[in-house]
PDB file of all heavy atoms in Angstrom:
ATOM      1  N   LEU A   1       5.645 -15.619  -1.783  1.00 85.00           N
ATOM      2  CA  LEU A   1       4.821 -15.035  -2.843  1.00 85.00           C
ATOM      3  C   LEU A   1       4.427 -13.600  -2.490  1.00 85.00           C
ATOM      4  O   LEU A   1       4.480 -12.714  -3.342  1.00 85.00           O
ATOM      5  CB  LEU A   1       3.591 -15.920  -3.063  1.00 85.00           C
ATOM      6  CG  LEU A   1       2.633 -15.459  -4.151  1.00 85.00           C
ATOM      7  CD1 LEU A   1       3.331 -15.493  -5.512  1.00 85.00           C
ATOM      8  CD2 LEU A   1       1.396 -16.293  -4.161  1.00 85.00           C
ATOM      9  N   PHE A   2       4.053 -13.379  -1.287  1.00 80.00           N
ATOM     10  CA  PHE A   2       3.625 -12.045  -0.848  1.00 80.00           C
ATOM     11  C   PHE A   2       4.786 -11.059  -0.958  1.00 80.00           C
ATOM     12  O   PHE A   2       4.606  -9.936  -1.413  1.00 80.00           O
ATOM     13  CB  PHE A   2       3.092 -12.132   0.584  1.00 80.00           C
ATOM     14  CG  PHE A   2       2.643 -10.809   1.127  1.00 80.00           C
ATOM     15  CD1 PHE A   2       1.500 -10.194   0.651  1.00 80.00           C
ATOM     16  CD2 PHE A   2       3.392 -10.158   2.098  1.00 80.00           C
ATOM     17  CE1 PHE A   2       1.106  -8.967   1.151  1.00 80.00           C
ATOM     18  CE2 PHE A   2       2.996  -8.943   2.595  1.00 80.00           C
ATOM     19  CZ  PHE A   2       1.838  -8.345   2.118  1.00 80.00           C
ATOM     20  N   ARG A   3       5.951 -11.483  -0.548  1.00 82.00           N
ATOM     21  CA  ARG A   3       7.130 -10.632  -0.598  1.00 82.00           C
ATOM     22  C   ARG A   3       7.481 -10.314  -2.044  1.00 82.00           C
ATOM     23  O   ARG A   3       7.872  -9.183  -2.362  1.00 82.00           O
ATOM     24  CB  ARG A   3       8.265 -11.374   0.074  1.00 82.00           C
ATOM     25  CG  ARG A   3       9.432 -10.544   0.307  1.00 82.00           C
ATOM     26  CD  ARG A   3       9.135  -9.830   1.574  1.00 82.00           C
ATOM     27  NE  ARG A   3      10.359  -9.451   2.236  1.00 82.00           N
ATOM     28  CZ  ARG A   3      10.489  -8.323   2.838  1.00 82.00           C
ATOM     29  NH1 ARG A   3       9.504  -7.485   2.843  1.00 82.00           N
ATOM     30  NH2 ARG A   3      11.567  -8.031   3.478  1.00 82.00           N
ATOM     31  N   ARG A   4       7.346 -11.272  -2.885  1.00 82.00           N
ATOM     32  CA  ARG A   4       7.682 -11.084  -4.293  1.00 82.00           C
ATOM     33  C   ARG A   4       6.717 -10.106  -4.946  1.00 82.00           C
ATOM     34  O   ARG A   4       7.131  -9.209  -5.702  1.00 82.00           O
ATOM     35  CB  ARG A   4       7.617 -12.439  -4.995  1.00 82.00           C
ATOM     36  CG  ARG A   4       8.084 -12.345  -6.395  1.00 82.00           C
ATOM     37  CD  ARG A   4       8.202 -13.728  -6.985  1.00 82.00           C
ATOM     38  NE  ARG A   4       7.958 -13.585  -8.390  1.00 82.00           N
ATOM     39  CZ  ARG A   4       7.163 -14.282  -9.115  1.00 82.00           C
ATOM     40  NH1 ARG A   4       6.488 -15.269  -8.583  1.00 82.00           N
ATOM     41  NH2 ARG A   4       7.015 -14.083 -10.383  1.00 82.00           N
ATOM     42  N   ILE A   5       5.434 -10.200  -4.642  1.00 80.00           N
ATOM     43  CA  ILE A   5       4.441  -9.280  -5.205  1.00 80.00           C
ATOM     44  C   ILE A   5       4.709  -7.888  -4.679  1.00 80.00           C
ATOM     45  O   ILE A   5       4.635  -6.911  -5.426  1.00 80.00           O
ATOM     46  CB  ILE A   5       3.014  -9.748  -4.853  1.00 80.00           C
ATOM     47  CG1 ILE A   5       2.688 -11.060  -5.558  1.00 80.00           C
ATOM     48  CG2 ILE A   5       1.993  -8.694  -5.213  1.00 80.00           C
ATOM     49  CD1 ILE A   5       1.384 -11.684  -5.142  1.00 80.00           C
ATOM     50  N   LEU A   6       5.056  -7.796  -3.431  1.00 77.00           N
ATOM     51  CA  LEU A   6       5.337  -6.499  -2.808  1.00 77.00           C
ATOM     52  C   LEU A   6       6.541  -5.837  -3.472  1.00 77.00           C
ATOM     53  O   LEU A   6       6.524  -4.630  -3.721  1.00 77.00           O
ATOM     54  CB  LEU A   6       5.585  -6.712  -1.319  1.00 77.00           C
ATOM     55  CG  LEU A   6       5.531  -5.478  -0.431  1.00 77.00           C
ATOM     56  CD1 LEU A   6       4.144  -4.841  -0.492  1.00 77.00           C
ATOM     57  CD2 LEU A   6       5.864  -5.841   0.987  1.00 77.00           C
ATOM     58  N   ASP A   7       7.576  -6.612  -3.753  1.00 81.00           N
ATOM     59  CA  ASP A   7       8.764  -6.052  -4.412  1.00 81.00           C
ATOM     60  C   ASP A   7       8.473  -5.650  -5.853  1.00 81.00           C
ATOM     61  O   ASP A   7       8.922  -4.585  -6.303  1.00 81.00           O
ATOM     62  CB  ASP A   7       9.918  -7.076  -4.404  1.00 81.00           C
ATOM     63  CG  ASP A   7      10.564  -7.166  -3.038  1.00 81.00           C
ATOM     64  OD1 ASP A   7      10.376  -6.212  -2.249  1.00 81.00           O
ATOM     65  OD2 ASP A   7      11.200  -8.201  -2.745  1.00 81.00           O
ATOM     66  N   GLU A   8       7.731  -6.446  -6.574  1.00 82.00           N
ATOM     67  CA  GLU A   8       7.493  -6.165  -7.985  1.00 82.00           C
ATOM     68  C   GLU A   8       6.468  -5.054  -8.189  1.00 82.00           C
ATOM     69  O   GLU A   8       6.586  -4.283  -9.135  1.00 82.00           O
ATOM     70  CB  GLU A   8       7.015  -7.432  -8.689  1.00 82.00           C
ATOM     71  CG  GLU A   8       8.074  -8.466  -8.896  1.00 82.00           C
ATOM     72  CD  GLU A   8       7.529  -9.708  -9.554  1.00 82.00           C
ATOM     73  OE1 GLU A   8       6.350  -9.690 -10.014  1.00 82.00           O
ATOM     74  OE2 GLU A   8       8.250 -10.697  -9.594  1.00 82.00           O
ATOM     75  N   LYS A   9       5.506  -4.977  -7.353  1.00 81.00           N
ATOM     76  CA  LYS A   9       4.440  -3.979  -7.530  1.00 81.00           C
ATOM     77  C   LYS A   9       4.558  -2.870  -6.490  1.00 81.00           C
ATOM     78  O   LYS A   9       3.571  -2.274  -6.097  1.00 81.00           O
ATOM     79  CB  LYS A   9       3.073  -4.657  -7.389  1.00 81.00           C
ATOM     80  CG  LYS A   9       2.846  -5.815  -8.311  1.00 81.00           C
ATOM     81  CD  LYS A   9       2.732  -5.329  -9.714  1.00 81.00           C
ATOM     82  CE  LYS A   9       2.427  -6.539 -10.604  1.00 81.00           C
ATOM     83  NZ  LYS A   9       2.403  -6.218 -11.984  1.00 81.00           N
ATOM     84  N   ARG A  10       5.712  -2.566  -6.034  1.00 81.00           N
ATOM     85  CA  ARG A  10       5.956  -1.594  -4.989  1.00 81.00           C
ATOM     86  C   ARG A  10       5.372  -0.225  -5.335  1.00 81.00           C
ATOM     87  O   ARG A  10       4.825   0.456  -4.479  1.00 81.00           O
ATOM     88  CB  ARG A  10       7.458  -1.482  -4.776  1.00 81.00           C
ATOM     89  CG  ARG A  10       7.830  -0.645  -3.608  1.00 81.00           C
ATOM     90  CD  ARG A  10       9.298  -0.499  -3.444  1.00 81.00           C
ATOM     91  NE  ARG A  10       9.975  -1.744  -3.755  1.00 81.00           N
ATOM     92  CZ  ARG A  10      11.254  -1.952  -3.708  1.00 81.00           C
ATOM     93  NH1 ARG A  10      12.022  -0.962  -3.369  1.00 81.00           N
ATOM     94  NH2 ARG A  10      11.800  -3.082  -4.012  1.00 81.00           N
ATOM     95  N   ARG A  11       5.517   0.203  -6.553  1.00 85.00           N
ATOM     96  CA  ARG A  11       5.033   1.525  -6.914  1.00 85.00           C
ATOM     97  C   ARG A  11       3.505   1.609  -6.858  1.00 85.00           C
ATOM     98  O   ARG A  11       2.953   2.691  -6.778  1.00 85.00           O
ATOM     99  CB  ARG A  11       5.569   1.960  -8.257  1.00 85.00           C
ATOM    100  CG  ARG A  11       5.186   1.155  -9.371  1.00 85.00           C
ATOM    101  CD  ARG A  11       5.872   1.660 -10.615  1.00 85.00           C
ATOM    102  NE  ARG A  11       5.800   0.542 -11.509  1.00 85.00           N
ATOM    103  CZ  ARG A  11       5.729   0.610 -12.784  1.00 85.00           C
ATOM    104  NH1 ARG A  11       5.799   1.772 -13.360  1.00 85.00           N
ATOM    105  NH2 ARG A  11       5.625  -0.445 -13.497  1.00 85.00           N
ATOM    106  N   TYR A  12       2.808   0.475  -6.903  1.00 85.00           N
ATOM    107  CA  TYR A  12       1.346   0.482  -6.749  1.00 85.00           C
ATOM    108  C   TYR A  12       0.928   0.219  -5.300  1.00 85.00           C
ATOM    109  O   TYR A  12      -0.046   0.779  -4.828  1.00 85.00           O
ATOM    110  CB  TYR A  12       0.695  -0.599  -7.632  1.00 85.00           C
ATOM    111  CG  TYR A  12       0.943  -0.402  -9.097  1.00 85.00           C
ATOM    112  CD1 TYR A  12       1.630  -1.366  -9.827  1.00 85.00           C
ATOM    113  CD2 TYR A  12       0.474   0.724  -9.752  1.00 85.00           C
ATOM    114  CE1 TYR A  12       1.871  -1.195 -11.166  1.00 85.00           C
ATOM    115  CE2 TYR A  12       0.729   0.888 -11.102  1.00 85.00           C
ATOM    116  CZ  TYR A  12       1.414  -0.065 -11.800  1.00 85.00           C
ATOM    117  OH  TYR A  12       1.650   0.097 -13.128  1.00 85.00           O
ATOM    118  N   VAL A  13       1.647  -0.607  -4.615  1.00 82.00           N
ATOM    119  CA  VAL A  13       1.259  -1.030  -3.271  1.00 82.00           C
ATOM    120  C   VAL A  13       1.484   0.082  -2.261  1.00 82.00           C
ATOM    121  O   VAL A  13       0.620   0.353  -1.413  1.00 82.00           O
ATOM    122  CB  VAL A  13       2.026  -2.320  -2.879  1.00 82.00           C
ATOM    123  CG1 VAL A  13       1.800  -2.657  -1.402  1.00 82.00           C
ATOM    124  CG2 VAL A  13       1.625  -3.460  -3.762  1.00 82.00           C
ATOM    125  N   TYR A  14       2.645   0.761  -2.302  1.00 85.00           N
ATOM    126  CA  TYR A  14       2.916   1.802  -1.307  1.00 85.00           C
ATOM    127  C   TYR A  14       1.904   2.953  -1.381  1.00 85.00           C
ATOM    128  O   TYR A  14       1.396   3.397  -0.343  1.00 85.00           O
ATOM    129  CB  TYR A  14       4.347   2.306  -1.435  1.00 85.00           C
ATOM    130  CG  TYR A  14       5.375   1.329  -0.905  1.00 85.00           C
ATOM    131  CD1 TYR A  14       6.599   1.150  -1.564  1.00 85.00           C
ATOM    132  CD2 TYR A  14       5.133   0.585   0.238  1.00 85.00           C
ATOM    133  CE1 TYR A  14       7.542   0.257  -1.087  1.00 85.00           C
ATOM    134  CE2 TYR A  14       6.080  -0.325   0.707  1.00 85.00           C
ATOM    135  CZ  TYR A  14       7.265  -0.483   0.055  1.00 85.00           C
ATOM    136  OH  TYR A  14       8.195  -1.365   0.518  1.00 85.00           O
ATOM    137  N   PRO A  15       1.608   3.465  -2.536  1.00 88.00           N
ATOM    138  CA  PRO A  15       0.579   4.510  -2.558  1.00 88.00           C
ATOM    139  C   PRO A  15      -0.789   3.995  -2.086  1.00 88.00           C
ATOM    140  O   PRO A  15      -1.543   4.719  -1.426  1.00 88.00           O
ATOM    141  CB  PRO A  15       0.499   4.934  -4.024  1.00 88.00           C
ATOM    142  CG  PRO A  15       1.765   4.507  -4.635  1.00 88.00           C
ATOM    143  CD  PRO A  15       2.240   3.322  -3.847  1.00 88.00           C
ATOM    144  N   LEU A  16      -1.074   2.722  -2.399  1.00 86.00           N
ATOM    145  CA  LEU A  16      -2.348   2.155  -1.960  1.00 86.00           C
ATOM    146  C   LEU A  16      -2.377   2.018  -0.436  1.00 86.00           C
ATOM    147  O   LEU A  16      -3.380   2.376   0.206  1.00 86.00           O
ATOM    148  CB  LEU A  16      -2.580   0.795  -2.625  1.00 86.00           C
ATOM    149  CG  LEU A  16      -3.937   0.153  -2.404  1.00 86.00           C
ATOM    150  CD1 LEU A  16      -5.048   1.046  -2.924  1.00 86.00           C
ATOM    151  CD2 LEU A  16      -3.993  -1.215  -3.073  1.00 86.00           C
ATOM    152  N   VAL A  17      -1.303   1.552   0.165  1.00 87.00           N
ATOM    153  CA  VAL A  17      -1.218   1.437   1.623  1.00 87.00           C
ATOM    154  C   VAL A  17      -1.261   2.822   2.250  1.00 87.00           C
ATOM    155  O   VAL A  17      -1.944   3.052   3.269  1.00 87.00           O
ATOM    156  CB  VAL A  17       0.069   0.657   2.034  1.00 87.00           C
ATOM    157  CG1 VAL A  17       0.321   0.774   3.529  1.00 87.00           C
ATOM    158  CG2 VAL A  17      -0.027  -0.775   1.604  1.00 87.00           C
ATOM    159  N   ALA A  18      -0.573   3.798   1.666  1.00 90.00           N
ATOM    160  CA  ALA A  18      -0.582   5.170   2.176  1.00 90.00           C
ATOM    161  C   ALA A  18      -2.001   5.740   2.108  1.00 90.00           C
ATOM    162  O   ALA A  18      -2.457   6.433   3.032  1.00 90.00           O
ATOM    163  CB  ALA A  18       0.397   6.028   1.392  1.00 90.00           C
ATOM    164  N   ALA A  19      -2.711   5.454   1.029  1.00 91.00           N
ATOM    165  CA  ALA A  19      -4.084   5.944   0.897  1.00 91.00           C
ATOM    166  C   ALA A  19      -4.993   5.317   1.956  1.00 91.00           C
ATOM    167  O   ALA A  19      -5.851   5.993   2.544  1.00 91.00           O
ATOM    168  CB  ALA A  19      -4.612   5.649  -0.502  1.00 91.00           C
ATOM    169  N   VAL A  20      -4.824   4.029   2.249  1.00 90.00           N
ATOM    170  CA  VAL A  20      -5.634   3.353   3.267  1.00 90.00           C
ATOM    171  C   VAL A  20      -5.329   3.933   4.642  1.00 90.00           C
ATOM    172  O   VAL A  20      -6.229   4.210   5.447  1.00 90.00           O
ATOM    173  CB  VAL A  20      -5.399   1.818   3.215  1.00 90.00           C
ATOM    174  CG1 VAL A  20      -5.981   1.141   4.433  1.00 90.00           C
ATOM    175  CG2 VAL A  20      -5.968   1.234   1.944  1.00 90.00           C
ATOM    176  N   VAL A  21      -4.046   4.144   4.952  1.00 92.00           N
ATOM    177  CA  VAL A  21      -3.661   4.721   6.247  1.00 92.00           C
ATOM    178  C   VAL A  21      -4.188   6.144   6.364  1.00 92.00           C
ATOM    179  O   VAL A  21      -4.730   6.546   7.405  1.00 92.00           O
ATOM    180  CB  VAL A  21      -2.123   4.657   6.436  1.00 92.00           C
ATOM    181  CG1 VAL A  21      -1.678   5.471   7.641  1.00 92.00           C
ATOM    182  CG2 VAL A  21      -1.673   3.220   6.548  1.00 92.00           C
ATOM    183  N   LEU A  22      -4.037   6.936   5.295  1.00 92.00           N
ATOM    184  CA  LEU A  22      -4.544   8.313   5.301  1.00 92.00           C
ATOM    185  C   LEU A  22      -6.071   8.319   5.456  1.00 92.00           C
ATOM    186  O   LEU A  22      -6.628   9.133   6.204  1.00 92.00           O
ATOM    187  CB  LEU A  22      -4.138   9.018   4.002  1.00 92.00           C
ATOM    188  CG  LEU A  22      -4.561  10.485   3.877  1.00 92.00           C
ATOM    189  CD1 LEU A  22      -3.879  11.321   4.962  1.00 92.00           C
ATOM    190  CD2 LEU A  22      -4.257  11.017   2.509  1.00 92.00           C
ATOM    191  N   ASN A  23      -6.750   7.403   4.790  1.00 92.00           N
ATOM    192  CA  ASN A  23      -8.197   7.296   4.889  1.00 92.00           C
ATOM    193  C   ASN A  23      -8.599   6.956   6.323  1.00 92.00           C
ATOM    194  O   ASN A  23      -9.548   7.535   6.869  1.00 92.00           O
ATOM    195  CB  ASN A  23      -8.689   6.230   3.904  1.00 92.00           C
ATOM    196  CG  ASN A  23     -10.179   6.322   3.672  1.00 92.00           C
ATOM    197  OD1 ASN A  23     -10.828   7.265   4.103  1.00 92.00           O
ATOM    198  ND2 ASN A  23     -10.734   5.329   2.992  1.00 92.00           N
ATOM    199  N   ALA A  24      -7.891   6.008   6.962  1.00 91.00           N
ATOM    200  CA  ALA A  24      -8.188   5.639   8.345  1.00 91.00           C
ATOM    201  C   ALA A  24      -7.924   6.806   9.288  1.00 91.00           C
ATOM    202  O   ALA A  24      -8.694   7.064  10.216  1.00 91.00           O
ATOM    203  CB  ALA A  24      -7.351   4.413   8.749  1.00 91.00           C
ATOM    204  N   ALA A  25      -6.827   7.536   9.040  1.00 91.00           N
ATOM    205  CA  ALA A  25      -6.504   8.700   9.886  1.00 91.00           C
ATOM    206  C   ALA A  25      -7.574   9.782   9.728  1.00 91.00           C
ATOM    207  O   ALA A  25      -8.018  10.398  10.717  1.00 91.00           O
ATOM    208  CB  ALA A  25      -5.123   9.235   9.541  1.00 91.00           C
ATOM    209  N   LEU A  26      -7.998  10.035   8.515  1.00 89.00           N
ATOM    210  CA  LEU A  26      -9.047  11.042   8.290  1.00 89.00           C
ATOM    211  C   LEU A  26     -10.370  10.599   8.926  1.00 89.00           C
ATOM    212  O   LEU A  26     -11.099  11.423   9.494  1.00 89.00           O
ATOM    213  CB  LEU A  26      -9.244  11.278   6.787  1.00 89.00           C
ATOM    214  CG  LEU A  26      -8.167  12.103   6.092  1.00 89.00           C
ATOM    215  CD1 LEU A  26      -8.439  12.140   4.582  1.00 89.00           C
ATOM    216  CD2 LEU A  26      -8.105  13.506   6.634  1.00 89.00           C
ATOM    217  N   PHE A  27     -10.686   9.322   8.837  1.00 88.00           N
ATOM    218  CA  PHE A  27     -11.907   8.817   9.471  1.00 88.00           C
ATOM    219  C   PHE A  27     -11.836   9.020  10.981  1.00 88.00           C
ATOM    220  O   PHE A  27     -12.794   9.504  11.596  1.00 88.00           O
ATOM    221  CB  PHE A  27     -12.116   7.335   9.138  1.00 88.00           C
ATOM    222  CG  PHE A  27     -13.329   6.759   9.790  1.00 88.00           C
ATOM    223  CD1 PHE A  27     -14.595   7.008   9.284  1.00 88.00           C
ATOM    224  CD2 PHE A  27     -13.218   5.982  10.942  1.00 88.00           C
ATOM    225  CE1 PHE A  27     -15.725   6.499   9.892  1.00 88.00           C
ATOM    226  CE2 PHE A  27     -14.343   5.474  11.563  1.00 88.00           C
ATOM    227  CZ  PHE A  27     -15.601   5.720  11.037  1.00 88.00           C
ATOM    228  N   ALA A  28     -10.688   8.642  11.594  1.00 88.00           N
ATOM    229  CA  ALA A  28     -10.539   8.753  13.043  1.00 88.00           C
ATOM    230  C   ALA A  28     -10.494  10.207  13.490  1.00 88.00           C
ATOM    231  O   ALA A  28     -11.018  10.561  14.550  1.00 88.00           O
ATOM    232  CB  ALA A  28      -9.282   8.009  13.502  1.00 88.00           C
ATOM    233  N   ALA A  29      -9.871  11.085  12.689  1.00 90.00           N
ATOM    234  CA  ALA A  29      -9.690  12.475  13.120  1.00 90.00           C
ATOM    235  C   ALA A  29     -10.874  13.373  12.751  1.00 90.00           C
ATOM    236  O   ALA A  29     -11.185  14.310  13.484  1.00 90.00           O
ATOM    237  CB  ALA A  29      -8.406  13.032  12.503  1.00 90.00           C
ATOM    238  N   ILE A  30     -11.552  13.107  11.657  1.00 89.00           N
ATOM    239  CA  ILE A  30     -12.566  14.057  11.196  1.00 89.00           C
ATOM    240  C   ILE A  30     -13.960  13.428  11.113  1.00 89.00           C
ATOM    241  O   ILE A  30     -14.927  13.951  11.683  1.00 89.00           O
ATOM    242  CB  ILE A  30     -12.164  14.636   9.822  1.00 89.00           C
ATOM    243  CG1 ILE A  30     -10.866  15.428   9.958  1.00 89.00           C
ATOM    244  CG2 ILE A  30     -13.266  15.514   9.261  1.00 89.00           C
ATOM    245  CD1 ILE A  30     -10.293  15.893   8.642  1.00 89.00           C
TER     246      ILE A  30
END
């Protein structure tokens, strides 16, 4: 189920994951 949601909603999930990683990097760095 998780894999299927990831494949179908890829255009929403990747930017969301990128935003979380960027947010964590900004928190750690700044």
